[in-house]
Amino acid sequence: MSSLETISGVTVLLHPAEGRTIAGERDALDIIGDTSYQGAEWAVVPVSRLDEGFFRLRTRLAGDIIQKFVQYRVGLAVVGDLSAQLEASSALRDFVTECNRGRQTWFLADMEELRERLA
C-alpha cells in the first residue's frame, strides 16, 4: 500500500517494495497516475520494483520510463542500494550522476537522502 508524506512542503507518494515490477512505459504510467491522483509531486520507488532491464541502458527502458515522468511533470526518486548495478556499468554510473544533478529524477540511497534533497 502506498503512503503519502509531506517532506519540506513537498508531497511525495511512497510506493511499497512489494508490488508489480516496473518493466515498461505502461507500468510507469500506472505509477504516475497513482501519484498524481494522490496529489503528490514526487513518486518514491524502491530499487527492487524496477526491472533488471532498467539498469542495462542499451535496453532504453530507463530512458523510456524517465521520459514519461518528465512528460507528466512528476518527480521520480529511486531509493535503495544500487551499488552492484553501478559497479557493473560505468554508463549507468554516469547516467545516475547526471540524473542526480537535475531536479526531476534522483537515485538515492535512502529516505534520509531524499529528505536532505527536498529540504
Side-chain angles (χ1 to χ4, degrees):
M1 183 106 200
S2 301
S3 63
L4 212 53
E5 187 174 323
T6 301
I7 303 171
S8 299
V10 178
T11 307
V12 300
L13 186 62
L14 307 170
H15 293 274
E18 307 78 34
R20 193 171 73 222
T21 300
I22 301 166
E25 291 180 46
R26 177 96 233 57
D27 302 321
L29 288 171
D30 289 344
I31 295 285
I32 292 164
D34 189 28
T35 302
S36 295
Y37 178 77
Q38 298 289 333
E41 300 167 64
W42 280 81
V44 180
V45 177
V47 168
S48 62
R49 291 282 302 272
L50 296 172
D51 184 81
E52 275 302 311
F54 183 93
F55 303 106
R56 291 188 310 274
L57 296 182
R58 70 181 174 274
T59 67
R60 297 177 158 217
L61 185 56
D64 291 345
I65 288 172
I66 290 171
Q67 182 58 40
K68 288 297 176 194
F69 280 88
V70 170
Q71 182 178 354
Y72 288 94
R73 295 187 175 117
V74 173
L76 172 63
V78 177
V79 176
D81 182 15
L82 282 173
S83 57
Q85 292 92 335
L86 296 176
E87 192 172 308
S89 171
S90 62
L92 180 62
R93 199 169 34 251
D94 293 345
F95 178 76
V96 166
T97 299
E98 199 58 38
C99 284
N100 283 344
R101 286 186 181 139
R103 307 191 90 231
Q104 177 69 38
T105 305
W106 297 332
F107 293 86
L108 308 168
D110 53 35
M111 285 299 297
E112 186 55 39
E113 195 173 347
L114 177 61
R115 285 181 181 84
E116 290 170 12
R117 294 285 304 253
L118 291 175

